[in-house]
Amino acid sequence: MSNLKRPAEEAFDAVEGLSPSSKKSRIDDYDKSLTPASAIANGAETREGSNEEKAEQTNGENNSNEVKDEEDDDLEAGEEVEVKAPIRQAAPTEGYDDLYLDTIDRNVLDFDFEKLCSISLSNINVYACLVCGKYFQGRGPKSHAYFHALDEGHHVYINMSTQKVYVLPEGYEVKSKSLDDIKYVSDPRYTRQEVLDLDRKPHVSRTLLGKEYVPGFVGMNNIKDNDYLNVIVQALSHVSPLRNFFLLEDFSNAPELVKRTSILFRKIWNPRAFKSHVSPHELLQEISLRSNKKFTLTQQSDPVEFLSWFLNHLHLGLGGSKTKPHSSVIQHIFQGKLKVESQAITARADQVHDRLRFEEAADVQSSVSRFLLLTLDLPPAPLFQDEQERNIIPQVPLTTILAKYNGVTAQELNAQRKRYRLQHPLPPFLVFHIKRFSKNKFVSERNPTIVTFDARNLDVSPYVEPDPNSHQHGEPIWYDLVANVVHEAVRNKEDVADSVGEERKTWKVQLRDKATDEWVVAQDLFVDKVRSELLYLSESYLQIWERRREPPPGKGKGKA
């Protein structure tokens, strides 16, 4: 060790301006990690004044702090380390209220899909990024939205439940009026006067790209095979009392099916939409869950079966009862009473003519049942053309198949002969199901018969049992068509002469615009006008008729 020592160039006492206190300070502050030899060597270097010594002391302190930080990083995983909380702001910095708002891209915003975090798939406390449109959970320092803001530089987020907008990672709320259009598209709200004007005043709106559309008559996305649901939702959204109920009431505490139905209805009638179509994805997911995947977006289903399921579950979701009549808005609008007379049929042998003879029992059993829709039976389609090669596509008037409910025409079923007749009071809306499809053990058949009708002035008084207390006998009861769901058969492959292609069902709906008294046909994303005289040319499958309000006394009766 003695060989490593070398004498200093000059003695410490000989250095001018160096006091004993400064020597002590320098000795106490030297880096203890150095070896004795290196310490002596460093101490023997030329010194150029106290200012440089102070700078060296400062650097030494910084170095020691860095060493401590490295030592803290090497702590065992089990030890808790105090982490400094990130800087959060309760409000934006003064003068920077609109910071990051210019990064919002309204063209990518689509609030129709189910509110699930794109990473955790959770539906709790979901935020939408207003820059890329993705959903993320939470906005705290450890949330997915927070990390997305740091990784991608997307800073503006909206809470899908409260419609409040926040800037991340700072965490403060933005209260700019320029974001009101986004909040309205996410959750449209209407005043009572706005709802009353929907059927009175024609209104044309424009999308972000300048495309014109009419609120209430917008396309609906067919994700795969959910057009059966699209036509039912479109039709129900034009039943005025039901639409007004879902547009005005608060369903924040209602079941999820009712809540999502209300949101979709409000988006269909949105006058300030960014796009001219909506997607039923959010409602479809809830329906698939509640129906045990009976109705899904990947498999075609029957619109009438879905309508029956949908109305009954909405009725229960709105607090309706299974036994008490008119306990929800669904029953108030669609439910009616039907008188059913049944007679048993017995077969007896006719020995004279050597054949069986069917006789009706003398006793007639009468009962009253309630209905939400009425089924109309089509006559069998002819197997062959007539001599003049007509009746290729048979036709039948709507009043002819309505005769099933005149109380005279009998229907035979399960050894019983039944007669039906409507009873007062009639519901505000009548739903007709024109039965086109029949199944047996071998094949499913479609009846292509065309049902002819006039879109206005359907008189149902011949099919209603007279009741002087409810309606004057002999006076007509007028109903007008609101929506007409039609079926269209499409072949999956080319129809070659030698082979018949398999048919695929597609659905579209014809809707009446009460503000302009014009008709619109909607099929998935396509919306176009159609003349009322041509409505019956399609294969009608489901119709919704609205009872015309009777004029006040003294202002005329009959057709209004």
Side-chain angles (χ1 to χ4, degrees):
M1 294 295 293
S2 60
N3 295 332
L4 296 176
K5 297 181 180 180
R6 61 183 178 87
E9 296 179 358
E10 54 184 335
F12 287 136
D13 297 340
V15 180
E16 296 181 358
L18 185 62
S19 64
S21 61
S22 64
K23 288 191 290 183
K24 180 179 179 182
S25 174
R26 190 174 69 183
I27 294 172
D28 292 339
D29 291 340
Y30 84 110
D31 193 347
K32 296 182 180 180
S33 63
L34 299 176
T35 60
S38 59
I40 296 175
N42 289 337
E45 293 178 1
T46 305
R47 298 158 187 86
E48 296 181 0
S50 60
N51 291 333
E52 292 185 2
E53 294 172 359
K54 293 180 180 179
E56 290 174 2
Q57 294 175 12
T58 305
N59 292 334
E61 293 175 358
N62 293 337
N63 292 334
S64 64
N65 291 334
E66 292 177 0
V67 172
K68 291 180 180 180
D69 292 339
E70 293 175 358
E71 293 175 354
D72 292 338
D73 292 339
D74 295 334
L75 290 175
E76 295 180 0
E79 298 181 5
E80 295 183 359
V81 180
E82 183 179 359
V83 180
K84 294 183 179 180
I87 299 176
R88 307 281 278 181
Q89 297 177 223
T93 306
E94 184 177 357
Y96 294 91
D97 297 347
D98 56 350
L99 189 64
Y100 303 126
L101 298 189
D102 58 335
T103 63
I104 297 176
D105 187 0
R106 287 170 171 78
N107 292 312
V108 302
L109 299 182
D110 190 351
F111 301 118
D112 294 341
F113 288 88
E114 192 173 11
K115 310 303 185 297
L116 295 178
C117 174
S118 58
I119 298 177
S120 65
L121 300 181
S122 172
N123 61 352
I124 301 174
N125 198 23
V126 176
Y127 288 77
C129 175
L130 297 184
V131 181
C132 64
K134 294 180 180 179
Y135 292 148
F136 298 96
Q137 184 182 15
R139 61 182 178 91
K142 296 182 179 180
S143 65
H144 298 297
Y146 187 90
F147 293 139
H148 181 71
L150 295 178
D151 294 341
E152 302 295 336
H154 298 174
H155 299 283
V156 192
Y157 297 80
I158 183 172
N159 187 299
M160 300 309 299
S161 299
T162 63
Q163 306 303 315
K164 293 182 178 181
V165 180
Y166 296 89
V167 167
L168 298 181
E170 288 82 356
Y172 60 83
E173 181 182 356
V174 181
K175 299 181 180 180
S176 175
K177 292 290 184 181
S178 64
L179 302 175
D180 288 349
D181 61 332
I182 297 178
K183 296 179 181 180
Y184 190 87
V185 169
S186 174
D187 188 18
R189 296 291 178 176
Y190 303 85
T191 63
R192 187 167 296 276
Q193 186 59 43
E194 289 174 342
V195 172
L196 293 176
D197 291 340
L198 293 177
D199 294 334
R200 298 176 181 176
K201 299 179 181 179
H203 185 77
V204 178
S205 301
R206 290 183 179 271
T207 64
L208 284 178
L209 301 179
K211 180 182 178 181
E212 291 186 352
Y213 74 95
V214 179
F217 301 88
V218 296
M220 191 169 292
N221 188 17
N222 184 3
I223 302 173
K224 188 175 181 182
D225 277 329
N226 58 278
D227 53 344
Y228 71 93
L229 177 139
N230 293 354
V231 294
I232 295 300
V233 172
Q234 291 268 34
L236 292 180
S237 68
H238 286 78
V239 176
S240 301
L242 186 65
R243 175 202 64 194
N244 299 347
F245 177 75
F246 279 117
L247 262 58
L248 293 174
E249 296 296 325
D250 181 18
F251 298 102
S252 55
N253 297 322
E256 199 66 24
L257 180 65
V258 176
K259 187 186 303 182
R260 297 190 182 189
T261 302
S262 172
I263 292 175
L264 185 56
F265 275 32
R266 285 186 273 126
K267 289 181 177 179
I268 290 175
W269 289 92
N270 185 4
R272 290 182 269 170
F274 290 165
K275 301 176 182 178
S276 60
H277 63 270
V278 296
S279 176
H281 180 266
E282 192 172 13
L283 177 61
L284 260 169
Q285 294 295 93
E286 182 65 19
I287 289 173
S288 176
L289 178 65
R290 298 302 172 195
S291 65
N292 293 325
K293 295 187 177 181
K294 181 180 180 180
F295 304 106
T296 64
L297 57 85
T298 59
Q299 187 175 0
Q300 190 68 253
S301 296
D302 186 81
V304 172
E305 292 182 4
F306 170 70
L307 174 65
S308 179
W309 180 93
F310 193 45
L311 291 180
N312 280 286
H313 280 73
L314 283 179
H315 165 70
L316 297 176
L318 293 170
S321 171
K322 292 184 178 180
T323 56
K324 185 178 179 181
H326 300 293
S327 55
S328 74
V329 66
I330 301 296
Q331 291 185 342
H332 277 289
I333 295 172
F334 297 109
Q335 191 178 73
K337 293 191 298 182
L338 188 66
K339 181 180 179 180
V340 183
E341 294 181 349
S342 303
Q343 285 181 292
I345 302 176
T346 57
R348 294 183 179 180
D350 189 349
Q351 297 180 356
V352 177
H353 298 89
D354 194 17
R355 64 182 180 182
L356 290 177
R357 185 177 60 185
F358 295 90
E359 297 180 354
E360 294 182 353
D363 295 336
V364 178
Q365 298 179 353
S366 180
S367 61
V368 176
S369 61
R370 301 186 181 275
F371 66 88
L372 291 178
L373 55 89
L374 297 173
T375 301
L376 306 180
D377 300 318
L378 290 174
L383 297 178
F384 306 100
Q385 300 178 4
D386 59 10
E387 296 178 355
Q388 299 178 353
E389 295 186 356
R390 295 178 181 176
N391 292 334
I392 298 175
I393 300 179
Q395 300 180 13
V396 59
L398 178 62
T399 53
T400 300
I401 57 179
L402 269 173
K404 173 182 177 180
Y405 298 98
N406 59 9
V408 178
T409 305
Q411 306 285 323
E412 294 185 5
L413 181 66
N414 297 332
Q416 285 189 331
R417 188 165 289 167
K418 295 186 177 183
R419 295 175 176 86
Y420 306 93
R421 197 162 195 185
L422 302 179
Q423 284 193 326
H424 286 289
L426 291 175
F429 288 81
L430 282 175
V431 182
F432 295 153
H433 165 217
I434 301 173
K435 192 174 181 180
R436 290 193 175 275
F437 302 98
S438 59
K439 293 183 180 180
N440 54 37
K441 295 181 179 180
F442 306 101
V443 69
S444 175
E445 297 180 348
R446 172 177 63 91
N447 192 330
T449 303
I450 297 297
V451 178
T452 60
F453 58 89
D454 187 357
R456 294 180 64 86
N457 308 325
L458 174 65
D459 182 15
V460 299
S461 59
Y463 319 107
V464 184
E465 188 172 358
D467 185 1
N469 297 326
S470 301
H471 187 78
Q472 186 176 353
H473 182 66
E475 290 292 331
I477 304 175
W478 300 113
Y479 275 78
D480 298 324
L481 187 63
V482 173
N484 183 35
V485 175
V486 299
H487 168 263
E488 190 175 26
V490 178
R491 297 195 181 278
N492 290 334
K493 61 180 181 179
E494 295 183 1
D495 186 8
V496 188
D498 296 336
S499 62
V500 179
E502 182 182 356
E503 289 184 349
R504 180 172 59 89
K505 298 177 183 178
T506 60
W507 306 95
K508 56 185 176 181
V509 60
Q510 299 163 345
L511 306 167
R512 180 164 72 94
D513 187 352
K514 295 182 180 179
T516 60
D517 201 24
E518 295 179 346
W519 282 88
V520 173
V521 58
Q523 184 176 17
D524 300 336
L525 298 179
F526 302 98
V527 179
D528 200 2
K529 293 184 178 180
V530 62
R531 298 184 60 177
S532 60
E533 297 87 356
L534 305 178
L535 296 178
Y536 71 88
L537 295 180
S538 302
E539 297 181 7
S540 298
Y541 188 64
L542 185 85
Q543 294 182 338
I544 300 179
W545 294 79
E546 180 181 9
R547 183 172 183 175
R548 190 181 303 170
R549 295 183 179 180
E550 296 181 359
K555 292 190 177 182
K557 296 182 180 180
K559 297 181 181 181

